[in-house]
Amino acid sequence: MSVSTRATPPAAEPGASAVPADKPPAVALTEVSKAYRTGRGELLALDKVSMTIADGEFVCIIGASGCGKSTLLNLVAGLDRPTSGTVETGGRRVGLMFQEPALFPWLSAARNIELALRARGVPRQARRDITRELLHAVRLDGFGDKRPHELSGGMRQRVAMARALAQDADVLLMDEPFGALDAMTRDLLHDELERICAERMLTVAFVTHNVREAARLGDRVVVLSSRPGKVIAEFAVPRHGPRRIDSAEVAQLAATLTDQLREEMGRHGN
Ligand SMILES: Nc1ncnc2c1ncn2[C@@H]1O[C@H](COP(=O)(O)OP(=O)(O)O)[C@@H](O)[C@H]1O
Ligand SMILES: [Mg+2]
């Protein structure tokens, strides 16, 4: 397998970017640090993280629990500000998806999706049409009137995916979105996500601690160190047609990623 590895210097030059200057990246983090104030003083969650995501690129971010992955996505989403450094998205619309689908239980699947459209000021009839189209995109035709408790875990995440798409985002930030699903359901959703991203030319930052999932989905996999999170390695994954989670290629990259993480965790005595 031709996995190209590129160790990224932990402290890149300010303003350094992997993307040529004539094509600005969709997402650019430059020397981003984030410290939280806690009862026991400051807690450094991210330490000078520099990374870029090109338009249309699918980047997986992996790292041990507590290394700052969610913090990083929150900063890109603009939900929080870095303590130092800059986060740039060039005015792109950003959509978020989490491990918990966080749907309104009293609203049907269709109404949950429509709510995101209403928030964007989409008129009533257009909301109906777009909702039907989104339900179709996530393969939930005919399930629009079901309420979340009537749907399986995988179906609920499909609704959450449709709702994220309803935000008409250019950049989708996914925080362990399939972490609570069984392997088979996850596998199916990987295929769906790949198809949807290709159809809509989405840029994706996908956080996971599942190395196989990262190897299956990413055009590139970025490995973070244990807390404070720093970029310690990047793996570009060339595409040769559709990938399968049980393929030799994915298994080989997953093994490399596991070694990286083990070494890192060993260094921190985890
Ligand atoms: N709002 C917060 N206040 C204080 N500490 C926080 C806050 N959010 C996260 N942390 C801490 O920052 C570190 C990174 O958290 P997080 O980004 O959630 O990690 P991950 O998503 O990789 O598991 C953890 O040690 C966590 O306890
Ligand atoms: Mg997290």
Side-chain angles (χ1 to χ4, degrees), residues 191-234:
D191 294 346
E192 303 288 11
L193 177 62
E194 196 165 55
R195 175 182 53 78
I196 288 167
C197 289
E199 280 170 11
R200 295 172 182 255
M201 292 187 291
L202 293 172
T203 303
V204 184
F206 187 105
V207 159
T208 179
H209 56 246
N210 182 329
V211 291
R212 277 204 176 231
E213 184 169 54
R216 157 73 183 85
L217 288 174
D219 295 319
R220 190 150 51 92
V221 182
V222 174
V223 185
L224 294 184
S225 65
S226 297
R227 187 167 61 81
K230 284 190 276 248
V231 178
I232 52 171
E234 282 186 37

Side-chain angles (χ1 to χ4, degrees), residues 18-146:
V19 178
D22 58 337
K23 194 164 189 310
V27 178
L29 285 87
T30 308
E31 301 261 293
V32 169
S33 296
K34 176 69 188 175
Y36 291 110
R37 233 172 262 133
T38 73
R40 283 182 292 161
E42 286 216 328
L43 181 148
L44 188 59
L46 292 174
D47 186 15
K48 292 185 180 162
V49 171
S50 292
M51 65 180 282
T52 58
I53 306 178
D55 267 317
E57 195 181 19
F58 198 121
V59 172
C60 289
I61 299 159
I62 62 166
S65 179
C67 77
K69 303 182 294 298
S70 297
T71 297
L72 192 150
L73 286 197
N74 284 343
L75 294 175
V76 176
L79 298 175
D80 204 351
R81 291 226 215 124
T83 308
S84 63
T86 59
V87 178
E88 289 161 280
T89 54
R92 283 171 185 76
R93 207 190 286 265
V94 172
L96 270 166
M97 191 175 156
F98 306 98
Q99 182 166 333
E100 291 304 321
L103 303 171
F104 291 108
W106 59 88
L107 293 180
S108 67
R111 293 264 178 237
N112 266 286
I113 298 166
E114 273 194 61
L115 208 58
L117 295 170
R118 198 193 289 188
R120 277 174 48 212
V122 177
R124 192 186 168 92
Q125 186 54 48
R127 285 206 300 267
R128 296 244 167 98
D129 296 343
I130 297 171
T131 299
R132 199 175 313 117
E133 186 191 307
L134 288 172
L135 282 167
H136 177 68
V138 297
R139 303 285 191 250
L140 281 180
D141 304 271
F143 288 92
D145 58 352
K146 300 280 185 224

Side-chain angles (χ1 to χ4, degrees), residues 173-265:
L173 306 175
M174 309 183 84
D175 197 352
E176 309 200 28
F178 308 141
L181 303 176
D182 63 86
M184 203 70 124
T185 305
R186 199 184 313 140
D187 197 25
L188 269 175
L189 283 171
H190 288 160
D191 294 346
E192 303 288 11
L193 177 62
E194 196 165 55
R195 175 182 53 78
I196 288 167
C197 289
E199 280 170 11
R200 295 172 182 255
M201 292 187 291
L202 293 172
T203 303
V204 184
F206 187 105
V207 159
T208 179
H209 56 246
N210 182 329
V211 291
R212 277 204 176 231
E213 184 169 54
R216 157 73 183 85
L217 288 174
D219 295 319
R220 190 150 51 92
V221 182
V222 174
V223 185
L224 294 184
S225 65
S226 297
R227 187 167 61 81
K230 284 190 276 248
V231 178
I232 52 171
E234 282 186 37
F235 297 82
V237 194
R239 288 211 166 259
H240 311 289
R243 256 181 250 158
R244 285 178 55 111
I245 197 127
D246 52 5
S247 72
E249 277 188 316
V250 168
Q252 193 181 332
L253 176 55
T256 308
L257 295 171
T258 301
D259 289 345
Q260 277 273 336
L261 287 176
R262 281 213 184 130
E263 194 187 318
E264 175 60 21
M265 288 166 86

